[in-house]
Amino acid sequence: MNILLVNVPHPAIGSRIPKEQLPPFGLLCIGGPLIDDGHHVELIDAEFGPLSLPDLIAQIVRRSPDAVLFGHSGSSSGHPIITQVSAAVAQAMPAATIVYGGVHPTYFWREILANEPHVKAIVRGEGEETARRLMRAIEQGKPLDTVSGIAWRLDGLPTANQVAPVITDLDAYRVGWELIDHARYSYWGGKRAVVIQFSRGCPHLCNYCGQRGFWTRWRHRDPVRLAREIARLNREHGVEVFNFADENPSAGRKPWRKFLEALIAENVSVTLVGSTRADDIVRDADILHLYKKAGFERFLMGMENTDEATLKLIRKGGAIASDREAIRLLRRHNILSMATWVAGFDDQTDADLFRGLRQLVSYDADQIQALYVTPHRWTPYYRLAQDRPVVQRDPTKWDYKHQVLGMSRMSPGRLFVWVKLIEAVAQLRPKALMRWAWHPDPKIRHAIRWYYRMGRRVWLHEIAGFLFRDRVGGDGRSVADHLGAAQDHEEEASLVVRRPRAHGATDTTLEPVSSV
């Protein structure tokens, strides 16, 4: 089959402002297995430009594919664009099979199949194996009830097959790197870059996060094989920066240490950036020199809040003491720390935000990223927030950088001013500016200055958007009214779950068309 993978232009601020582009890793994960199955696979990355929707639709139609696979890593905020593009493609090419995968369609498959008749099937959860089986069934004209891990229509009604088994061997499916021109992708200030993944899932139970539900459990790639892949991409394609897609790659100390040592043994000069928990940094105090030697230059640590009561509310499981110690340890090993801080909890007051600002400054992290709590339906936090009013009705702005939820004690404008003030004070404090001007390590100095350049553009863009572009204001509807009440996949009376036939139920494993 001629299969076209499509990464639509994403509206999120983080996609537009850096003026740099990372490849759509989730789609590449799907592309590799499809190529190995003998399909002709191409990728259109409409983030470049970005492409206008008419131009993107024209490019898709011009290629005349048998199947078009849409996916995105932006959760719900990218869905309206995929809806527009896929509908137009289906109208222009009614014979083409439209398939949709990723986090949002995994949890909103009923609504999508009910409202978007042009979508043939939805890949739910991990997609590498499921996409292979789905394309094989379509090509051979087999019934779709043989394919685990998909949702489709049976007698015109949305139907979900049995959930596909979790992939236990992440190295069984290769990334389709040949689908991209590495010279077009950059990050970290113009350096050739890709996204990479060591593990999937997270063992922790933070209730605002959907990692546990989507990935089921924490698993990791073979440490030595991943180190070899990074070294090959560096030597053969000149890739310098590797951005880890993992939520918590260091969850397993033993395999993580083995990976660090294997990459050091490859003797390549690379820059690694990723996310982890402060607790893991503290745990690994004795091997942080291996982090640095392997190439790590920055870790984003999801501290989420500096208030112990809020941390308890969101079941973060961390503590302020470990946050402070992690930042101190990273600085000792010349690794940058980025602290995420989340605002918008219902009963926050001016006093709470002022206290948060003081604590953030006292943390002395190298970089701060302020976000807004966002009630995605696939997270446990949704149940806590489903009755709160929505002040941002445009779903393309549910990207963590726009306030979505109304607060009982604060107007949207007041919270916005607080968030911008917290960002400015935290990044412009004297200690931070001194590191920007005089950091002794040239690589770290480059990283600091790049982040300040990008951050300044984002900060000004957000202010201009709030004042002149974004429509902020409630319509009296709650989160549940906007998204629909959460539904239990097994207990909902109207749900038809079909188990695959015996011959198709033995070796189905999968990952989404763009889950990362």
Side-chain angles (χ1 to χ4, degrees):
M1 293 179 68
N2 291 323
I3 298 174
L4 186 60
L5 308 176
V6 178
N7 185 38
V8 299
H10 198 275
I13 290 172
S15 296
R16 296 281 71 83
I17 299 303
K19 297 182 179 179
E20 294 185 293
Q21 183 67 34
L22 287 167
F25 182 70
L27 290 174
L28 299 185
C29 288
I30 302 301
L34 291 175
I35 293 170
D36 292 345
D37 269 5
H39 299 289
H40 175 75
V41 182
E42 293 183 83
L43 168 71
I44 293 180
D45 190 350
E47 285 278 45
F48 286 110
L51 275 179
S52 68
L53 297 194
D55 287 344
L56 172 57
I57 294 163
Q59 285 201 24
I60 295 171
V61 172
R62 188 160 53 245
R63 283 172 169 79
S64 191
D66 300 310
V68 184
L69 277 57
F70 289 95
H72 60 84
S73 58
S75 300
S76 298
S77 54
H79 172 68
I81 298 174
I82 287 182
T83 296
Q84 293 179 56
V85 175
S86 61
V89 169
Q91 185 175 15
M93 297 190 308
T97 298
I98 306 293
V99 177
Y100 186 11
V103 179
H104 180 91
T106 291
Y107 292 95
F108 284 83
W109 59 268
R110 296 176 185 84
E111 292 87 346
I112 295 170
L113 290 174
N115 299 324
E116 302 178 30
H118 54 276
V119 176
K120 173 80 169 181
I122 287 174
V123 175
R124 302 172 62 215
E126 293 179 292
E128 287 93 339
E129 181 63 25
T130 299
R132 292 179 62 200
R133 291 184 169 276
L134 177 59
M135 291 298 102
R136 190 178 306 149
I138 292 172
E139 184 178 36
Q140 297 175 0
K142 293 182 178 179
L144 295 189
D145 63 359
T146 64
V147 184
S148 293
I150 68 164
W152 55 296
R153 293 180 192 84
L154 178 65
D155 298 328
L157 297 175
T159 305
N161 289 350
Q162 180 179 344
V163 174
V166 170
I167 294 177
T168 55
D169 180 8
L170 296 181
D171 291 292
Y173 305 92
R174 69 177 186 86
V175 180
W177 296 117
E178 65 266 45
L179 292 169
I180 64 171
D181 177 359
H182 286 280
R184 301 186 70 192
Y185 293 93
S186 68
Y187 188 58
W188 216 243
K191 296 185 177 182
R192 191 170 294 192
V194 298
V195 179
I196 204 77
Q197 190 177 52
F198 176 66
S199 67
R200 289 178 181 172
C202 181
H204 302 283
L205 296 172
C206 308
N207 69 10
Y208 55 86
C209 178
Q211 284 286 315
R212 186 68 173 264
F214 189 87
W215 297 115
T216 306
R217 61 186 176 86
W218 189 82
R219 297 148 284 147
H220 64 85
R221 288 191 57 184
D222 179 275
V224 175
R225 290 184 65 172
L226 179 61
R228 289 174 183 165
E229 185 170 353
I230 289 173
R232 181 185 66 80
L233 289 169
N234 173 259
R235 292 172 180 139
E236 296 180 9
H237 299 284
V239 179
E240 298 178 79
V241 179
F242 294 83
N243 188 7
F244 280 72
D246 313 42
E247 287 292 317
N248 196 187
S250 56
R253 175 180 161 99
K254 185 176 180 180
W256 184 239
R257 177 171 184 163
K258 188 174 181 180
F259 163 70
L260 297 172
E261 291 173 338
L263 186 56
I264 291 168
E266 291 289 344
N267 194 30
V268 290
S269 179
V270 294
T271 291
L272 310 179
V273 294
S275 304
T276 193
R277 288 174 61 93
D279 292 344
D280 288 4
I281 296 296
V282 175
R283 178 202 69 192
D284 289 347
D286 61 323
I287 62 169
L288 286 179
H289 64 287
L290 298 179
Y291 283 57
K292 181 64 178 179
K293 194 171 182 180
F296 272 103
E297 291 188 22
R298 187 186 75 188
F299 272 105
L300 181 151
M301 293 179 290
M303 297 174 182
E304 319 323 344
N305 210 273
T306 54
D307 182 77
E308 293 283 11
T310 302
L311 292 174
K312 184 178 180 180
L313 170 70
I314 62 178
R315 296 170 62 183
K316 177 64 180 178
I320 290 175
S322 60
D323 292 343
R324 293 179 188 274
E325 179 64 5
I327 292 169
R328 186 187 68 82
L329 287 169
L330 287 175
R331 181 160 294 127
R332 178 192 293 177
H333 289 85
N334 211 17
I335 301 172
L336 294 171
S337 59
M338 172 185 278
T340 60
W341 188 84
V342 181
F345 296 101
D346 185 44
D347 59 353
Q348 281 180 318
T349 64
D350 291 329
D352 295 326
L353 294 169
F354 181 69
R355 184 170 61 253
L357 170 59
R358 292 182 59 185
Q359 290 175 331
L360 274 176
V361 170
S362 70
Y363 276 8
D364 195 27
D366 296 294
Q367 298 166 357
I368 303 293
Q369 186 174 149
L371 307 171
Y372 296 94
V373 62
T374 303
H376 288 304
R377 201 173 72 183
W378 51 82
T379 65
Y381 181 77
Y382 169 85
R383 299 187 183 276
L384 299 177
Q386 62 181 333
D387 295 325
R388 288 178 61 183
V390 168
V391 297
Q392 178 50 259
R393 290 167 285 172
D394 181 355
T396 66
K397 294 184 170 60
W398 286 38
D399 59 2
Y400 305 100
K401 293 297 285 179
H402 291 86
Q403 184 183 354
V404 173
L405 298 174
M407 301 171 65
S408 59
R409 303 184 183 184
M410 191 171 295
S411 68
R414 193 175 188 88
L415 178 62
F416 180 80
V417 170
W418 264 113
V419 169
K420 294 301 104 183
L421 176 65
I422 288 169
E423 290 174 331
V425 172
Q427 293 293 168
L428 298 176
R429 67 193 190 282
K431 284 185 178 180
L433 290 176
M434 286 186 66
R435 296 183 194 114
W436 172 83
W438 295 294
H439 198 287
D441 185 327
K443 290 183 70 176
I444 298 298
R445 188 168 62 247
H446 164 85
I448 292 173
R449 293 180 177 180
W450 167 77
Y451 185 76
Y452 268 83
R453 289 194 303 271
M454 184 179 67
R456 182 176 64 250
R457 293 198 300 269
V458 170
W459 195 79
L460 293 173
H461 180 89
E462 288 178 329
I463 291 175
F466 186 86
L467 293 176
F468 306 113
R469 293 189 299 271
D470 300 343
R471 297 178 60 188
V472 180
D475 57 4
R477 301 172 67 202
S478 68
V479 174
D481 292 333
H482 278 265
L483 297 182
Q487 300 172 4
D488 188 296
H489 287 198
E490 279 65 48
E491 296 179 0
E492 183 193 0
S494 62
L495 172 61
V496 179
V497 178
R498 296 181 59 86
R499 298 187 179 277
R501 299 173 182 177
H503 68 267
T506 56
D507 59 344
T508 48
T509 48
L510 138 138
E511 182 258 276
V513 184
S514 176
S515 61
V516 288

